[in-house]
Amino acid sequence: MTVITIDHLTKDYGNNKGVFDVTLTIKAGEVYGYLGPNGAGKSTTMRHLMGFSKPQTGSVKIFGMDCWTEQKEIQKRIGYLPGEISFPDDMTGLHYLKLIANMRKMTDFSYATELLDYFEINPNAGIKRMSKGMKQKIGIVAAFMHRPELLLLDEPTSGLDPLMQNRFIELMEKEKAEGKTIILSSHIFEEVEKTCDRIGMIRNGHLIKEVTVDELRHSQLKTYKIEFIDSHALTDLKQIYPEATYRTAENQMIVTINDSNINQLLAVLSKHNVRFLKEEKHTLEEYFMQFYGGNQHV
């Protein structure tokens, strides 16, 4: 069953800001990663799904209902974590969550309590005095606590420390196992890779590629820095990898290859005395450019 249907959505704010002719579908039980740099159009898409913004052209539907005209009915069944959360400063975390629970007519607050413990939140602290990370955790609890069928999560781990990022990923895996449908907007490649089934890449408001996570993993280029014991190895390697970068003074080679060619590289290196081999981490922009090509800035 299809849960989300976005059909040729366009919202033009001028100066190439907005979303343009975006079409995608998300099925029940699927975790969909919406990947792109800041300003690419992720939050704009989310706001349309929530019914906060009306499409200029195209349509946006959830559960077969129009997100603009039937937003109240839709919002009863979804959990939403905005990219920028605004809280009332004169409340504690617990008072805020109780307020949201009452608005949703929740009769069982037990899952909220479980999530507060899970994320190590002191719910009696005043929101005004909370750190960005603590506020983010309150937002996560508010989105998940009523056990919605669909979760719309916009940059969910923003401000979280590494431990809490891992806990969030574990929570996502649990919700996924329960059959929840999730759309996760992020500019963090690793977060999307760990949690999602399928990924949509958006750039300058245009959905430029959709892939499964496995396709993305296996198509990635990797860059390795290799240092040799002596300089003789560089002479041989230059014949095999002429496009690589060589630092003769340090006896180093920096080479970029596709995952499928890693065995060939290891076979070549086994013939030489290697001091060390290190994978160079790529920025998100480099992942984008390596995956779909082109020379435009993301």
Side-chain angles (χ1 to χ4, degrees):
M1 183 185 88
T2 298
V3 172
I4 292 176
T5 303
I6 300 177
D7 187 23
H8 298 287
L9 169 65
T10 293
K11 184 76 167 190
D12 188 351
Y13 294 111
N15 297 318
N16 291 321
K17 299 297 183 183
V19 291
F20 307 96
D21 200 34
V22 170
T23 295
L24 63 88
T25 58
I26 300 173
K27 296 179 179 178
E30 186 174 23
V31 180
Y32 187 93
Y34 204 38
L35 183 64
N38 292 330
K42 302 185 304 295
S43 294
T44 298
T45 306
M46 288 287 197
R47 286 194 290 271
H48 280 82
L49 287 166
M50 284 297 295
F52 297 156
S53 186
K54 182 180 181 181
Q56 281 177 309
T57 60
S59 64
V60 183
K61 294 182 178 180
I62 294 178
F63 306 124
M65 295 180 283
D66 184 271
C67 291
W68 177 251
T69 61
E70 301 175 271
Q71 58 172 275
K72 289 184 179 179
E73 189 62 32
I74 292 171
Q75 289 177 12
K76 294 176 183 176
R77 301 168 63 183
I78 64 180
Y80 174 53
L81 179 65
E84 295 182 7
I85 310 173
S86 180
F87 293 105
D89 286 340
D90 59 346
M91 303 179 76
T92 66
L94 184 60
H95 286 155
Y96 173 77
L97 292 173
K98 289 283 190 179
L99 173 65
I100 299 300
N102 289 335
M103 291 172 64
R104 288 179 176 147
K105 297 180 172 58
M106 288 173 54
T107 58
D108 184 357
F109 198 71
S110 61
Y111 191 43
T113 302
E114 181 182 328
L115 290 170
L116 288 169
D117 290 340
Y118 180 72
F119 284 108
E120 300 179 7
I121 302 169
N122 174 11
N124 296 310
I127 291 176
K128 188 175 183 178
R129 298 191 302 274
M130 288 184 178
S131 65
K132 175 177 172 54
M134 191 63 69
K135 289 179 179 178
Q136 188 72 12
K137 290 191 281 187
I138 291 289
I140 291 171
V141 174
F144 282 78
M145 66 182 183
H146 57 304
R147 300 184 183 272
E149 301 170 56
L150 169 65
L151 287 150
L152 308 179
L153 308 174
D154 193 356
E155 305 286 355
T157 60
S158 174
L160 298 186
D161 62 40
L163 173 62
M164 291 301 155
Q165 288 178 8
N166 287 335
R167 289 198 181 178
F168 176 79
I169 289 171
E170 290 171 2
L171 175 63
M172 287 277 290
E173 291 171 344
K174 174 178 171 289
E175 296 287 327
K176 180 178 177 179
E178 293 177 1
K180 302 294 178 63
T181 306
I182 304 170
I183 179 168
L184 168 69
S185 140
S186 180
H187 67 278
I188 302 173
F189 182 88
E190 290 81 6
E191 177 178 87
V192 172
E193 185 182 32
K194 287 178 180 178
T195 58
C196 297
D197 303 306
R198 198 157 53 95
I199 294 169
M201 297 180 177
I202 187 168
R203 179 181 68 175
N204 297 331
H206 297 273
L207 186 67
I208 48 88
K209 195 77 174 180
E210 285 188 297
V211 293
T212 66
V213 170
D214 284 342
E215 285 175 317
L216 188 59
R217 286 195 189 108
H218 296 140
S219 67
Q220 284 172 204
L221 296 176
K222 297 285 179 61
T223 298
Y224 298 96
K225 178 191 286 186
I226 304 142
E227 184 172 312
F228 300 93
I229 299 295
D230 56 63
S231 60
H232 300 296
L234 296 187
T235 303
D236 292 338
L237 270 297
K238 285 178 182 178
Q239 302 297 317
I240 303 170
Y241 297 103
E243 302 299 323
T245 299
Y246 294 90
R247 297 174 177 172
T248 305
E250 293 86 9
N251 295 331
Q252 291 180 357
M253 174 180 77
I254 300 173
V255 61
T256 300
I257 61 170
N258 192 283
D259 275 354
S260 60
N261 295 324
I262 185 65
N263 287 330
Q264 178 188 358
L265 175 64
L266 293 174
V268 171
L269 295 180
S270 68
K271 300 175 183 177
H272 302 280
N273 294 320
V274 175
R275 190 185 303 277
F276 73 78
L277 182 151
K278 176 186 176 185
E279 181 184 348
E280 300 283 273
K281 296 298 182 183
H282 288 283
T283 65
L284 179 64
E285 179 173 343
E286 289 170 327
Y287 274 120
F288 265 96
M289 302 313 295
Q290 289 173 0
F291 185 70
Y292 60 76
N295 56 15
Q296 297 183 49
H297 185 75
V298 295

